[in-house]
Amino acid sequence: MEKLVIEGGIPLSGKVRIHGAKNAALPILAASMMAEGVHRIENVPDLLDIHVMLRILRALGCKAELKGDTVSLETASAYSSHIPEELMRQMRSSIFLMGPLLARFGHVQVYQPGGCAIGERKIDLHLKGLRALGAEIEETGNTIVCRAECLVGTDIALDYPSVGATENIMMAAVLAEGVTTIYNAAREPEIQDLQHFLNEMGANVTGAGTDVITIEGVKRLTPVAYRIIPDRIVTGTLMIAAAATKGNVVLENVCPAHLTSVIHVLRRAGVQIAVNDDIIKVSCSSRPKAVERIITSPHPSFPTDLQAQMMAFLSLADGMSIIKETVFEGRFKHVDELTRMGADIRVDQNCAFLRGVPHLYGTTVEATDLRAGAALVIAGLAARGTTIVEQAHHIDRGYDRIERIFGWLGAKIERYSPIRQMKVP
Ligand code: EPZ
């Protein structure tokens, strides 16, 4: 597996454009299945997860190609609603295809996506919502078969504001008969982007961004050209890296309104942040101050997808910080690796207690999952000496060549492939 070699201690500087949002592109690519014809989706990031989604769409009979940052997608030729098990195993988010395939074909066969490094990743809320719309769902072993002669709109109250369940139900309801109202819906910006895409195709969805989303069923949808929103988690990762290296960075093509909770925490740590339109400027010239308490929870609170990165930054702060993870039960796997770099972190159930240290020290660490890997890169950029981050493929699921992005900001970071023991260009 590939690894990243990072020379620490270089303050990041310069400007970089943020690529499109993985977590908006995936459900939107799935939703495109509901309109037969040719879609053009722009600002799609070149990521492992995107390529898996495109492989799944091709396996269903679509023609799908990513050129630069644009996906051309022909969905009329789709003939199957059976997602190959090996592709589901590669990316659990393929579960987003259940709603669209059920709406289009009246049938879908998927497989339990299973857990991952950060938690159990249950899908009971997805299945409960689809059953409420009239789907008959059989679960045999890890195979799930859904059938629905006709989906009928209804009221659905989610036990938890699950992003994926909200999106799956929204998509299934778009072609249902009658009106569906989702209560306790997730409010993430990616859900607003999905609503915008669905309505561009001719749907009638309102309320995304609030906890009540209403979908008035329509007869058919038409394919569109669409541009994905910027990735707020990539933006937040670069903001935190700029602060952790005491750098001075300009981030372009961003949505500051998607990051208010992150901006608030960084300012409490003493980081200077200037915001205007689609630009965020981040600078930090002194050791960060500790932040008394950060609690991850659904948007607009502090995002779980930036918890590990913030922990890497605050492990260098002056004082005690507490981070409480309330979304995923296994999202502290980066703690051991940060500790090996000299961080002083104690975990008690879903709380991490950080006593800030003046320096971290480079060593060999292992990325266990996507955001933990990004946190270790931040720690390596800020550390004294050289850090080797192994299992770098995890990071490629959510960052389009992270070494190139940080290289543009002056970092010394190289990718090595153990097969060739050579630097990967
Ligand atoms: C989406 O995952 C994101 N992925 C995740 O980003 C993100 O961390 C998460 O939302 C929370 O914001 C994509 O959008 C592709 P959830 P999702 O359903 O939809 C429980 C990244 O790093 N739950 O909101 O799977 C679940 O176990 C990834 O980019 C149920 O109990 O998240 C978890 O504890 C990681 N039953 C919590 O809800 C269900 O049916 C949040 O899950 C569904 C979820």
Side-chain angles (χ1 to χ4, degrees):
M1 290 297 179
E2 294 185 335
K3 56 190 173 183
L4 299 171
V5 178
I6 305 163
E7 290 308 321
I10 302 169
L12 297 181
S13 65
K15 67 169 80 170
V16 73
R17 267 181 79 78
I18 299 296
H19 61 61
K22 164 177 85 82
N23 293 349
L26 290 171
I28 283 171
L29 288 170
S32 65
M33 284 293 290
M34 295 194 290
E36 297 187 32
V38 179
H39 294 263
R40 182 182 161 79
I41 315 287
E42 295 177 351
N43 204 29
V44 177
D46 184 359
L47 303 172
L48 287 182
D49 277 9
I50 296 294
H51 288 286
V52 173
M53 178 58 87
L54 296 180
R55 274 207 292 278
I56 292 172
L57 293 172
R58 292 187 200 110
L60 299 176
C62 300
K63 294 181 186 62
E65 190 183 26
L66 173 63
K67 261 193 178 163
D69 74 350
T70 300
V71 167
S72 303
L73 193 50
E74 195 286 302
T75 58
S77 51
Y79 56 82
S80 165
S81 58
H82 176 185
I83 301 178
E85 186 171 7
E86 69 278 5
L87 289 176
M88 273 216 75
R89 264 206 298 271
Q90 289 179 36
M91 186 184 66
R92 60 175 314 285
S93 309
S94 23
I95 203 76
F96 288 146
L97 277 156
M98 283 181 78
L101 291 173
L102 199 54
R104 173 161 173 189
F105 292 105
H107 167 277
V108 56
Q109 178 166 329
V110 295
Y111 299 89
Q112 284 289 349
C116 64
I118 63 176
E120 194 183 345
R121 311 301 295 271
K122 293 190 290 186
I123 60 167
D124 58 315
L125 300 177
H126 295 246
L127 302 183
K128 203 168 152 187
L130 295 177
R131 283 194 172 99
L133 289 169
E136 284 170 29
I137 301 177
E138 277 169 53
E139 297 177 70
T140 317
N142 73 335
T143 304
I144 303 171
V145 177
C146 297
R147 289 187 183 80
E149 285 302 308
C150 165
L151 293 169
V152 179
T154 185
D155 288 355
I156 296 170
L158 289 176
D159 303 339
Y160 178 88
S162 152
V163 171
T166 301
E167 291 167 337
N168 237 333
I169 296 164
M170 271 169 85
M171 294 187 280
V174 158
L175 293 175
E177 279 181 11
V179 177
T180 297
T181 304
I182 305 171
Y183 296 96
N184 196 26
R187 299 163 55 184
E188 275 66 8
E190 293 76 24
I191 292 177
Q192 290 176 270
D193 209 24
L194 177 61
Q195 170 178 289
H196 190 199
F197 176 73
L198 292 169
N199 289 343
E200 288 287 291
M201 290 199 294
N204 186 347
V205 185
T206 54
T210 76
D211 61 351
V212 179
I213 298 177
T214 303
I215 306 104
E216 200 166 323
V218 296
K219 289 287 178 216
R220 65 189 298 276
L221 300 172
T222 50
V224 292
Y226 191 77
R227 186 171 183 79
I228 303 285
I229 56 171
D231 193 311
R232 62 191 169 102
I233 304 303
V234 171
T235 307
T237 302
L238 295 180
M239 291 169 69
I240 294 169
T245 58
K246 299 195 180 69
N248 194 338
V249 163
V250 177
L251 303 176
E252 299 176 326
N253 185 40
V254 302
C255 291
H258 294 167
L259 287 147
T260 44
S261 60
V262 180
I263 292 169
H264 177 66
V265 167
L266 287 172
R267 281 177 172 158
R268 282 168 60 194
V271 180
Q272 290 77 45
I273 296 176
V275 166
N276 66 341
D277 294 337
D278 63 348
I279 291 174
I280 293 181
K281 295 179 182 173
V282 181
S283 61
C284 184
S285 51
S286 57
R287 185 180 179 189
K289 291 181 282 204
V291 174
E292 188 189 349
R293 188 177 49 202
I294 296 171
I295 302 175
T296 70
S297 56
H299 193 79
S301 296
F302 191 88
T304 176
D305 292 349
L306 284 170
Q307 177 259 105
Q309 299 92 316
M310 187 57 78
M311 187 182 292
F313 172 57
L314 291 179
S315 64
L316 286 162
D318 181 8
M320 277 289 286
S321 305
I322 300 174
I323 298 180
K324 185 173 183 180
E325 171 59 56
T326 72
V327 178
F328 291 107
E329 65 276 21
R331 206 166 204 177
F332 276 160
K333 292 197 171 51
H334 43 283
V335 169
D336 289 348
E337 300 304 290
L338 290 172
T339 305
R340 296 180 57 242
M341 296 180 71
D344 180 349
I345 305 170
R346 180 176 58 83
V347 170
D348 180 6
Q349 295 181 2
N350 64 343
C351 282
F353 300 85
L354 287 72
R355 183 182 304 283
V357 293
H359 303 290
L360 293 178
Y361 297 91
T363 184
T364 299
V365 290
E366 184 175 329
T368 51
D369 59 84
L370 164 54
R371 306 301 176 186
L376 295 173
V377 171
I378 290 173
L381 290 168
R384 288 185 165 181
T386 304
T387 299
I388 297 174
V389 179
E390 298 187 325
Q391 306 295 328
H393 62 281
H394 287 294
I395 304 171
D396 299 335
R397 292 189 48 221
Y399 298 84
D400 182 356
R401 277 158 292 180
I402 198 166
E403 70 277 11
R404 187 177 63 161
I405 298 173
F406 281 123
W408 287 332
L409 295 174
K412 279 200 181 134
I413 173 170
E414 312 279 8
R415 181 183 292 257
Y416 283 79
S417 161
I419 302 164
R420 297 193 300 274
Q421 283 305 330
M422 278 169 59
K423 196 164 75 173
V424 174

